[in-house]
Amino acid sequence: MRKYVIMGVQGSGKGTQSALLAADLDLVDISVGDIFRWHVKSHTKLGAQVRRVMARGELVGDDLVEAVVRDRLQQHDWNYGFVIDGFPRNRRQAEFFLESYDIDGVIHLDLPDKEVWRRVLARRLCSGCGMDYNLIAHRPETDGRCDVCGGELVTREDDTPEALTRRLAEYHDKIDPVIDLFRGKEYVITVDARADRATVQREIRERLGLPAYTPAA
Ligand code: AMP
């Protein structure tokens, strides 16, 4: 059983790296942001509660987030473990998590703010299936259309300069102390996220003592 947390500023490749790790090691890939986006898109009661907060790039309240994480992990579909992305986002969430689950490692993807701006403003999302694209590193074959389902590619509602400024400030204010807290428990590996996705994945595997990464041809 392997339980990992993946942390890093927006655009550092958390989604990509956790998907690669999860697919190969049979881990369940849990993205708290994706769960909230699903609720917004599906017009659930929870979606209505979080929609505006998310669009402004602000954090959803801790009680709500902890309930969502608890519910998700209670599904117990993670026989081989999980990798969780987007949580914990502050010290209180980190303490809740450490009390409830033992963690095998925290993957910290390190990316300078300047590169974050470049990447995030190029990010697109399929409005049909939710697949991620990036106009710099992962362009769709046809402009504006998803390679998988043909859906329209859109900008995430919170990928605006205003929201990004807010999220970066929030990140440094709240997440740096969380990383310090985990580092005190010797869980953290910090990986330079400026490299290409295969290099980053290889380094994560090496540092966590996991089977080597061989990209699909
Ligand atoms: P993400 O996809 O991880 O950037 O998350 C998108 C949005 O979902 C964030 O800007 C928050 O509004 C909300 N969110 C996701 N994870 C958390 C969390 N752990 N705590 C509070 N809000 C969160």
Side-chain angles (χ1 to χ4, degrees):
M1 172 86 70
R2 295 168 171 137
K3 288 175 259 145
Y4 300 116
V5 173
I6 189 159
M7 308 187 76
V9 72
Q10 288 76 19
S12 59
K14 284 173 300 189
T16 306
Q17 295 301 331
S18 47
L20 289 174
L21 205 59
D24 222 21
L25 302 172
D26 270 334
L27 308 179
V28 174
D29 184 4
I30 300 171
S31 158
V32 176
D34 281 353
I35 295 176
F36 284 135
R37 274 187 288 280
W38 180 86
H39 280 278
V40 170
K41 203 175 148 210
S42 311
H43 301 285
T44 67
K45 194 171 152 213
L46 177 65
Q49 278 174 282
V50 300
R51 185 173 183 277
R52 278 194 207 90
V53 173
M54 284 181 73
R56 286 197 298 266
E58 289 169 6
L59 287 184
V60 171
D62 289 334
D63 289 337
L64 214 52
V65 176
E66 286 170 13
V68 162
V69 170
R70 205 181 291 116
D71 275 4
R72 180 62 191 86
L73 291 175
Q74 267 168 5
Q75 290 178 22
H76 282 292
D77 55 348
W78 38 281
N79 293 338
Y80 297 99
F82 59 77
V83 47
I84 189 162
D85 157 3
F87 181 90
R89 280 280 231 278
N90 60 33
R91 211 181 159 92
R92 173 176 145 180
Q93 293 180 7
E95 281 163 357
F96 156 83
F97 202 46
L98 283 171
E99 276 165 24
S100 314
Y101 305 93
D102 28 289
I103 302 169
D104 297 298
V106 175
I107 303 156
H108 170 217
L109 299 178
D110 192 24
L111 193 70
D113 286 2
K114 207 171 122 219
E115 180 64 10
V116 175
W117 275 96
R118 202 174 78 89
R119 287 189 186 186
V120 168
L121 298 182
R123 191 152 72 169
R124 297 292 181 274
L125 188 71
C126 173
S127 55
C129 69
M131 175 94 177
D132 283 315
Y133 291 86
N134 189 290
L135 302 185
I136 306 165
H138 179 207
R139 294 189 71 87
E141 276 174 25
T142 311
D143 276 353
R145 288 277 152 208
C146 177
D147 295 344
V148 179
C149 75
E152 189 193 353
L153 299 189
V154 296
T155 305
R156 259 171 60 167
E157 202 173 355
D158 56 352
D159 279 349
T160 62
E162 299 72 34
L164 183 56
T165 304
R166 206 191 306 263
R167 278 149 72 205
L168 273 175
E170 165 251 300
Y171 181 85
H172 291 297
D173 186 42
K174 304 245 172 67
I175 305 268
D176 290 350
V178 171
I179 292 172
D180 288 343
L181 180 87
F182 283 136
R183 202 171 266 133
K185 301 196 181 293
E186 298 179 10
Y187 292 134
V188 183
I189 58 151
T190 295
V191 174
D192 185 347
R194 284 172 302 181
D196 62 85
R197 64 172 71 189
T199 307
V200 173
Q201 180 70 194
R202 247 181 250 116
E203 183 165 349
I204 292 174
R205 303 275 184 108
E206 209 176 288
R207 301 274 301 279
L208 291 173
L210 294 170
Y213 173 60
T214 34

